[in-house]
Amino acid sequence: MSDTPPDRLAVNPSSPFHDPAALERGVGVRFNGVERDDVEEYSVSEGWIRVQAGKARDRRGNPMTLKINGAVEPYFLNLK
């Protein structure tokens, strides 16, 4: 595995961008220069993150998310 995280990554296992190997290794996200630990999904090339909107749920029981635009810098927590 390379030392750069994927361009797009999601925590939700039903997403096509879910990568268990990268998540097991640990991925941190710096958004607009601030460390964020509540990111559900991110895209570096498109410049956005998705974060959970409180405790709200949709009709399928999934958390409601907000899409926020800005500079996204992912990094691996454990460099192996």
Side-chain angles (χ1 to χ4, degrees):
M1 182 177 266
S2 69
D3 287 334
T4 58
D7 178 63
R8 189 165 176 182
L9 184 64
V11 177
N12 187 352
S14 65
S15 172
F17 301 105
H18 181 75
D19 184 4
L23 291 173
E24 184 177 311
R25 188 171 173 188
V27 177
V29 177
R30 190 173 296 113
F31 181 70
N32 289 337
V34 178
E35 302 288 330
R36 299 288 301 250
D37 60 352
D38 60 346
V39 176
E40 296 281 326
E41 184 176 359
Y42 72 81
S43 175
V44 176
S45 60
E46 297 175 15
W48 56 261
I49 63 171
R50 284 197 182 273
V51 294
Q52 193 169 354
K55 294 185 178 184
R57 301 280 177 171
D58 67 5
R59 62 183 174 194
R60 294 178 196 92
N62 299 321
M64 299 288 281
T65 58
L66 298 172
K67 186 175 182 180
I68 306 171
N69 295 318
V72 180
E73 302 170 34
Y75 58 91
F76 282 118
L77 299 175
N78 302 325
L79 294 174
K80 289 184 180 180

